[in-house]
Amino acid sequence: MKNVFKKFAAIAIVAVVATTGLVGCGKEESSLDKIKESGKLIVGTSPDYPPFEFVISENGKSKIVGADIDLAQKLADKLGVKLEIKAMDFDALIPALQSGNVDAVITGMTPDEERKKSVDFSDIYFKGENAVLVKSEDADKIKSEDDLKKSKIGVQKGSTQEVYVRDGLKLTDFKGLTSVPDLIMDMKNGNLDAIVLNSKVANINQGKYDGIKVLENLKLTSGGEEEAMAVALKKGDNEALLKVLNEEIKSLQDSGEYDKILANAVDLVSKEEK
Ligand code: ARG
């Protein structure tokens, strides 16, 4: 009996040494291998940003759609894996990436220097710009960035628009809210004068809600003009994965397919409104 026990213990020790030994000397698995092995690409997104990501109802069920979702599907197809979308608040996405809850974040995220310290980015798949949304009756009040500075501004929490208002316009008295619809409601309720957000998203919202208007002639400077978008990944061995993603992004762009994806998403928003 005792001998049998000893034998078991010996085998167990050998097994532990063998596995830890393997992990210890082998190179850590690349993110591409990990995704391929799991058979799915888990993408985090904040679906409050039409036409990039938004929610529609289909046969009584809600569904997350948009240009970023189509892009995510193309990337998953290219990787030969299934796509799983996880919706969450915008400011929860980078933490979700870092904790390994999602493999990638595709949510109109701008690859700025601050974020590059904590996550990796693909090449840019969309180069947009920011715009300012106001109540229609205020459309003549804000003519310059200086006028904007005197207004009560709302931005999405954790966004580059927040960085622009805080560091570019050097304001402390602005409001950061979790989602874009929350911002619009807050402005309609009279608590905000202006919202800074992507011009495409701003235009879509102008069509969606009554009484709000995009300031067409207001030029933003102070670092708030651009709204580029890229796929974010947890920092790590992403070389092989980024190669696949960047190749697919380039091919979608060169073939004009990305423009179609975006146009379809815009169509989908307008259908949803009727
Ligand atoms: N481009 C901005 C940023 O990276 C805003 C993105 C907001 N995206 C969203 N799905 N709400 O911060």
Side-chain angles (χ1 to χ4, degrees), residues 142-202:
I142 302 174
K143 293 203 171 64
S144 66
E145 211 171 45
D146 272 333
D147 295 338
L148 182 62
K149 277 191 200 173
K150 289 173 209 135
S151 335
K152 178 90 187 170
I153 304 177
V155 287
Q156 186 162 34
K157 231 188 234 168
S159 68
T160 45
Q161 287 80 13
E162 180 172 30
V163 176
Y164 159 66
V165 173
R166 191 185 54 224
D167 301 347
L169 297 183
K170 307 226 179 311
L171 297 181
T172 47
D173 185 26
F174 62 88
K175 203 161 170 185
L177 295 179
T178 303
S179 80
V180 173
D182 287 354
L183 286 165
I184 292 170
M185 283 309 144
D186 210 38
M187 185 162 78
K188 281 170 86 68
N189 290 337
N191 302 321
L192 294 173
D193 302 323
I195 301 167
V196 182
L197 79 170
N198 176 285
S199 65
K200 254 194 182 314
V201 179

Side-chain angles (χ1 to χ4, degrees), residues 202-240:
N203 278 308
I204 296 249
N205 279 294
Q206 164 179 276
K208 210 168 151 178
Y209 299 87
D210 288 333
I212 59 173
K213 202 171 171 348
V214 178
L215 295 177
E216 301 289 350
N217 299 320
L218 180 63
K219 280 272 153 274
L220 298 180
T221 56
S222 312
E225 49 280 53
E226 278 175 23
E227 235 257 333
M229 302 178 180
V231 178
L233 301 172
K234 180 182 183 176
K235 268 204 183 301
D237 183 0
N238 290 322
E239 209 184 311

Side-chain angles (χ1 to χ4, degrees), residues 51-258:
F52 297 98
E53 44 268 330
F54 54 106
V55 181
I56 60 167
S57 93
E58 206 177 67
N59 309 323
K61 265 187 164 176
S62 62
K63 192 177 169 199
I64 301 168
V65 295
D68 279 350
I69 310 305
D70 287 352
L71 171 66
Q73 187 62 59
K74 293 269 179 207
L75 298 176
D77 290 349
K78 192 78 193 168
L79 293 164
V81 296
K82 285 210 160 62
L83 174 67
E84 182 183 329
I85 297 288
K86 281 192 186 172
M88 54 193 91
D89 289 345
F90 184 77
D91 61 353
L93 285 164
I94 289 191
L97 199 55
Q98 281 166 330
S99 67
N101 198 4
V102 298
D103 298 315
V105 164
I106 308 184
T107 196
M109 188 169 274
T110 305
D112 72 348
E113 293 313 311
E114 198 47 43
R115 286 180 183 146
K116 281 183 191 164
K117 291 180 195 157
S118 54
V119 298
D120 286 341
F121 282 104
S122 72
D123 290 343
I124 288 169
Y125 61 83
F126 180 81
K127 265 194 189 131
E129 51 192 41
N130 276 319
V132 175
L133 201 54
V134 297
K135 276 176 278 162
S136 305
E137 69 253 35
D138 289 346
D140 295 330
K141 287 192 194 150
I142 302 174
K143 293 203 171 64
S144 66
E145 211 171 45
D146 272 333
D147 295 338
L148 182 62
K149 277 191 200 173
K150 289 173 209 135
S151 335
K152 178 90 187 170
I153 304 177
V155 287
Q156 186 162 34
K157 231 188 234 168
S159 68
T160 45
Q161 287 80 13
E162 180 172 30
V163 176
Y164 159 66
V165 173
R166 191 185 54 224
D167 301 347
L169 297 183
K170 307 226 179 311
L171 297 181
T172 47
D173 185 26
F174 62 88
K175 203 161 170 185
L177 295 179
T178 303
S179 80
V180 173
D182 287 354
L183 286 165
I184 292 170
M185 283 309 144
D186 210 38
M187 185 162 78
K188 281 170 86 68
N189 290 337
N191 302 321
L192 294 173
D193 302 323
I195 301 167
V196 182
L197 79 170
N198 176 285
S199 65
K200 254 194 182 314
V201 179
N203 278 308
I204 296 249
N205 279 294
Q206 164 179 276
K208 210 168 151 178
Y209 299 87
D210 288 333
I212 59 173
K213 202 171 171 348
V214 178
L215 295 177
E216 301 289 350
N217 299 320
L218 180 63
K219 280 272 153 274
L220 298 180
T221 56
S222 312
E225 49 280 53
E226 278 175 23
E227 235 257 333
M229 302 178 180
V231 178
L233 301 172
K234 180 182 183 176
K235 268 204 183 301
D237 183 0
N238 290 322
E239 209 184 311
L241 177 59
L242 279 172
K243 192 164 178 283
V244 180
L245 301 187
N246 288 338
E247 268 171 19
E248 181 62 8
I249 287 169
K250 186 170 188 318
S251 121
L252 290 172
Q253 239 138 21
D254 291 352
S255 62
E257 181 120 9
Y258 184 77

